Amino acid sequence: MEGLVDVLVVMLASIANAGLQLGTGTLLLLYNESLGRKVKKTTRSVTCGFILGSFLLSVLLISTTMLLILLINSHPLVENGLILLSSLAIAMAVMVIGLYFRRGKNTMLWIPDFAAKYFRKRAGKVDTPVEGMALGMTTVVAELPFSVVLILIAANSLLNLPQAVIILALVGYALITVMPLIIMKLLIKNGTTLAEIQRWRVRNKTFLRIFTGICYIALAVFIIAFKLLERAQ
């Protein structure tokens, strides 16, 4: 039962991470800047590099966090550590629901103006898959203020799993986090326009932030109910 709970926690953390919108917004911007000034083959390789960079850095961050937990604590976090993680998850839920998107009929995020300008500038200059990969990694780093608690929770739960399952669950986490990027790429490949995707994002931004916030809260509830209270009994 405990192993199943840990798997569910990892999945829920990855779904919450997938709900964060900086990566999808930057990929849409990359498409917008690439189409018209590059041949389709180049645009395809650049966007594939972007998704691969996001995936690889997600794997690296989770792996590094697992190692740090073991180096600092020698075993997965319990009690006080879990209380801290669940408290942080609730705090992040409040921030995502209340502050994540800026007001107005747009999908502008919490990031400072200089960071937004940087992503627009870089998206307009990406010409190779390696540069696309670097941009994908940069978006993952820029999202850390909201995703770091998810990474901590997922890494801690992964340490509770059997060794044979850890790699599979780790890859699954990273794959789910980039799934919105993959879906967007497939939609564009099959003829959906950038304008249609952006209109959908604007119409559903309230749903996206509330859904993501609920995932943070659900993580906290899982930790409290199945980790803390169960241990206390």
Side-chain angles (χ1 to χ4, degrees), residues 188-201:
I188 293 172
K189 181 180 179 180
N190 289 320
T192 304
T193 66
L194 302 181
E196 288 173 332
I197 294 174
Q198 179 60 15
R199 280 196 297 269
W200 185 91
R201 294 180 70 231

Side-chain angles (χ1 to χ4, degrees), residues 34-52:
S34 296
L35 293 175
R37 71 183 182 88
K38 297 186 179 75
V39 296
K40 284 186 177 181
K41 184 177 180 181
T42 303
T43 298
R44 185 164 58 247
S45 63
V46 164
T47 53
C48 282
F50 181 94
I51 295 172
L52 181 60

Side-chain angles (χ1 to χ4, degrees), residues 6-176:
D6 286 309
V7 170
L8 290 174
V9 167
V10 172
M11 289 181 61
L12 195 54
S14 65
I15 292 170
N17 205 330
L20 300 176
Q21 293 294 302
L22 183 57
T24 52
T26 305
L27 180 60
L28 196 63
L29 183 63
L30 182 58
Y31 265 111
N32 187 59
E33 294 291 337
S34 296
L35 293 175
R37 71 183 182 88
K38 297 186 179 75
V39 296
K40 284 186 177 181
K41 184 177 180 181
T42 303
T43 298
R44 185 164 58 247
S45 63
V46 164
T47 53
C48 282
F50 181 94
I51 295 172
L52 181 60
S54 300
F55 174 84
L56 291 177
L57 190 57
S58 295
V59 171
L60 181 60
L61 285 173
I62 292 284
S63 303
T64 303
T65 304
M66 291 169 65
L67 179 60
L68 288 174
I69 290 173
L70 291 178
L71 288 175
I72 295 171
N73 204 52
S74 74
H75 55 76
L77 301 175
V78 294
E79 296 180 1
N80 291 340
L82 293 176
I83 291 172
L84 177 61
L85 290 180
S86 58
S87 301
L88 288 173
I90 293 173
M92 288 296 103
V94 173
M95 292 184 67
V96 168
I97 293 173
L99 302 174
Y100 191 64
F101 284 107
R102 297 188 182 185
R103 294 182 179 181
K105 293 184 177 181
N106 55 62
T107 52
M108 293 180 64
L109 301 177
W110 53 271
I111 60 174
D113 289 337
F114 74 86
K117 290 178 181 177
Y118 169 81
F119 284 113
R120 283 196 294 269
K121 181 179 178 181
R122 289 307 309 155
K125 293 184 176 181
V126 172
D127 290 312
T128 66
V130 174
E131 290 177 327
M133 186 181 298
L135 184 61
M137 290 181 171
T138 304
T139 59
V140 174
V141 172
E143 201 83 82
L144 280 176
F146 283 90
S147 65
V148 66
V149 65
L150 302 174
I151 293 170
L152 283 166
I153 290 172
N156 193 65
S157 291
L158 283 168
L159 290 172
N160 291 317
L161 296 174
Q163 290 186 356
V165 181
I166 288 178
I167 295 178
L168 183 61
L170 172 60
V171 172
Y173 178 96
L175 187 60
I176 292 174

